[in-house]
Amino acid sequence: MKPGIHPAYGPVVFRDKAGGSAFLTRSTLAGSTDAGAKAVVWEDGRTYPVVDVEISSASHPFFTGTARVLDTAGRVERFEKRYGRRGAH
């Protein structure tokens, strides 16, 4: 890799606002804990930059198993019953 052209890549805490969970990973989003950046003290006692996200796999309905299944066949039948089936012309 060419030195000096890549963003800082380091540990960052992603905090889920919807579910209240947080996880530590590496990212280029918040490369340092500057005075203006938000930071959090993690379980290991170190301070890491934090990125707040609206939803993550911890709170998304698809990953938590609370996703609703849509009845597309019933919708098609209801549409055909209401408006009739068009024949080939």
Side-chain angles (χ1 to χ4, degrees), residues 3-83:
I5 64 168
H6 300 285
Y9 181 71
V12 177
V13 173
F14 284 90
R15 186 169 47 195
D16 183 359
K17 290 173 141 183
S21 63
F23 57 94
L24 178 66
T25 186
R26 295 175 57 88
S27 177
T28 60
L29 284 180
S32 65
T33 55
D34 297 334
K38 290 191 275 183
V40 66
V41 178
W42 191 243
E43 300 161 354
D44 60 2
R46 295 182 181 165
T47 302
Y48 296 105
V50 64
V51 176
D52 289 325
V53 293
E54 295 295 324
I55 195 162
S56 71
S57 61
S59 61
H60 193 281
F62 178 79
F63 296 106
T64 59
T66 58
R68 294 184 301 154
V69 177
L70 297 178
D71 179 21
T72 55
R75 288 182 179 195
V76 171
E77 290 169 4
R78 230 178 320 145
F79 178 83
E80 288 177 354
K81 186 172 121 180
R82 183 178 297 163
Y83 298 106

